Amino acid sequence: MKTLKKFEKTIDERIAELCDRIKQRSAAHEAVDFSDWWLADVYSHIAYGEPLGCVAQGHDVNGLIDAIQSAYSMVGTVAVLPWLFIPLIKNALLKKLVVPYLKASKGIKKLTDNYENMMVKRSTEPHLKFRPCLFDSLLIPNPSRESLSPSEIAAEHILFTSAALDGLAAFISPFIDHVTQNPSIYRTLMAEITDFERRGALSGPVVSHAETTALPYFMACISECLRFESPAQTILPRYVSAGGLVYDGEVIPAGTEMAASPYIIHRSRAVFGEDADTFRPERWLEDQERSARMERYGMWWGYGTRQCTGKYLAQMQMQKLCLEILRRFEVKTKDPERRFVHKRWAVGMFWEQEMIGEDASDEVKDSGVDGAFEGGEFFAEYQQ
């Protein structure tokens, strides 16, 4: 997180642009597909030095978002059945006659072309040459590590593109959906935000990441959404190491492939309570020891040495954007009678996530909750 602080101003610029866009579109009674557009711009700005332009232009520039999503069918299938599909993909005849024409292959090629075009642009345009970017350190020779090849660096960029866009959108969308569709949660959260705003604890024009962590109920909503709607729903397997594993009296041989489902783990009543199937942020404020236990068993960022490498960047983006949207707007779905459409696949996928953001009035923020949250004091200490 300390390293990523240098990109916080970049994220602020993109949040400000998105909020202006929401305000303009909402004034004309037009909805905004907020998360994918915004994330594509943030990713491009951090990785290459300038935004892609989705928010400004109001559409999927260069079809990049569609390219990512079109690759999922093949990538997901290969991940689940590698023993069947990898030999087929590597077959010389199929590789030449079939694979290039698959929609997924076309999507991956578009991602590769985008990387190459942006790297050329960055090396030739003066205003981009000296702008700090996320992967600069990979390009600098380091005697303490093996250097990455050009194709490996390209692969890191492309993987980051996919994970940063849909992975993070799979958190932001359900957060907005759950919070705004539950009146009690929404009122409590808005009361807390208003209380911090009036005490001067939220800076402007965009709230800092450090400030977001100080709001106990907001952070409880973040933790609950990570538990209930983990962006990565897929099972990420590992092999049992040499010597095998003894668990609960059972001997598991070395080389056995093992995994656990975040969806199932996060609904364990033994860990998260009898109401584990319910979205309830208050569970994170009730008992410090229990909250530490829930955190310990959380798989929302992976587990152990296999945790998501983009964890801290994701935390900064999602906390800042979610708080700023709630701070500035009264959020409504395009159709008041319908929630966002949600499917739990390899990652959480959302459709029809268009929102209209009316300027938040004092009446919306003053919800009758006085801002004194049970458990709030312990939660702030626990977060610290």
Side-chain angles (χ1 to χ4, degrees):
M1 184 62 78
K2 191 174 181 179
T3 303
L4 292 169
K5 278 288 183 182
K6 63 184 178 182
F7 295 112
E8 186 162 6
K9 185 178 179 181
T10 299
I11 296 170
D12 289 351
E13 291 175 15
R14 303 278 62 83
I15 289 176
E17 181 187 42
L18 175 65
C19 288
D20 287 344
R21 184 73 174 177
I22 293 172
K23 190 171 183 178
Q24 293 167 7
R25 294 285 290 266
S26 298
H29 303 289
E30 297 175 353
V32 175
D33 186 357
F34 64 100
S35 58
D36 276 337
W37 287 2
W38 179 75
L39 289 165
D41 280 354
V42 173
Y43 128 78
S44 181
H45 202 160
I46 289 174
Y48 303 117
E50 67 176 8
L52 196 62
C54 296
V55 170
Q57 298 180 40
H59 66 87
D60 178 12
V61 176
N62 299 333
L64 198 67
I65 297 169
D66 180 67
I68 293 169
Q69 295 177 347
S70 69
Y72 280 151
S73 57
M74 184 171 75
V75 172
T77 305
V78 170
V80 174
L81 301 171
W83 53 270
L84 175 62
F85 282 91
I86 289 179
L88 292 177
I89 291 171
K90 288 186 174 181
N91 180 281
L93 186 61
L94 291 175
K95 193 172 182 179
K96 181 178 180 180
L97 299 178
V98 178
V99 172
Y101 302 99
L102 297 174
K103 185 178 180 182
S105 298
K106 293 178 181 178
I108 293 171
K109 185 179 185 306
K110 186 173 284 187
L111 291 172
T112 305
D113 291 344
N114 176 75
Y115 163 75
E116 292 173 352
N117 293 337
M118 293 302 291
M119 292 301 284
V120 168
K121 188 175 183 180
R122 191 181 173 209
S123 65
T124 56
E125 297 194 9
H127 74 287
L128 296 178
K129 281 186 177 181
F130 303 105
R131 195 166 287 175
C133 293
L134 187 62
F135 291 100
D136 285 349
S137 62
L138 298 183
L139 304 172
I140 302 172
N142 187 334
S144 66
R145 67 162 189 242
E146 184 179 349
S147 297
L148 297 180
S149 68
S151 62
E152 288 172 328
I153 293 174
E156 290 296 324
H157 270 275
I158 292 167
L159 180 61
F160 174 70
T161 305
S162 305
L165 269 66
D166 267 9
L168 194 48
F171 171 86
I172 294 171
S173 293
F175 180 90
I176 296 296
D177 186 52
H178 280 292
V179 166
T180 58
Q181 296 299 317
N182 188 313
S184 175
I185 293 174
Y186 185 59
R187 286 195 302 269
T188 305
L189 185 53
M190 292 311 300
E192 181 183 62
I193 293 172
T194 302
D195 178 51
F196 272 67
E197 185 95 69
R198 289 177 176 169
R199 289 193 279 113
L202 302 180
S203 58
V206 176
V207 65
S208 72
H209 171 257
E211 289 167 347
T212 67
T213 63
L215 282 74
Y217 193 74
F218 173 74
M219 290 305 299
C221 290
I222 292 284
S223 296
E224 183 69 350
C225 193
L226 284 170
R227 177 192 77 85
F228 200 73
E229 305 287 7
S230 299
Q233 303 283 338
T234 189
I235 293 174
L236 302 174
R238 308 181 199 184
Y239 292 108
V240 175
S241 55
L245 173 70
V246 178
Y247 177 76
D248 198 24
E250 297 289 332
V251 178
I252 303 169
T256 303
E257 190 176 61
M258 296 186 68
S261 164
Y263 180 90
I264 294 172
I265 296 296
H266 295 166
R267 281 159 178 74
S268 166
R269 288 174 170 77
V271 177
F272 297 100
E274 290 301 315
D275 62 348
D277 290 322
T278 302
F279 185 90
R280 191 175 70 85
E282 288 76 10
R283 76 178 75 249
W284 295 91
L285 300 171
E286 292 167 344
D287 180 84
Q288 183 173 7
E289 186 176 336
R290 182 186 173 200
S291 291
R293 175 178 165 81
M294 292 191 295
E295 185 77 32
R296 188 164 62 249
Y297 285 99
M299 294 178 63
W300 32 86
W301 300 113
Y303 207 84
T305 58
R306 301 299 198 278
Q307 287 199 55
C308 172
T309 55
K311 168 183 174 179
Y312 296 114
L313 181 61
Q315 286 177 323
M316 182 183 291
Q317 291 181 77
M318 69 193 193
Q319 288 170 210
K320 287 168 67 73
L321 178 64
C322 290
L323 182 54
E324 200 63 36
I325 284 179
L326 292 170
R327 180 189 184 187
R328 297 191 188 202
F329 302 107
E330 180 184 0
V331 179
K332 298 179 180 179
T333 53
K334 186 177 181 180
D335 181 351
E337 301 301 318
R338 297 182 64 183
R339 298 182 66 166
F340 296 159
V341 179
H342 182 200
K343 299 292 182 185
R344 294 183 178 94
W345 292 349
V347 296
M349 298 294 290
F350 279 75
W351 291 271
E352 298 179 21
Q353 56 183 32
E354 294 180 307
M355 60 166 250
I356 295 175
E358 298 179 359
D359 279 339
S361 63
D362 289 338
E363 287 75 15
V364 172
K365 294 179 179 179
D366 288 337
S367 57
V369 182
D370 63 7
F373 305 100
E374 184 177 352
E377 182 177 347
F378 115 70
F379 188 81
E381 294 174 358
Y382 171 63
Q383 285 297 111
Q384 186 177 6

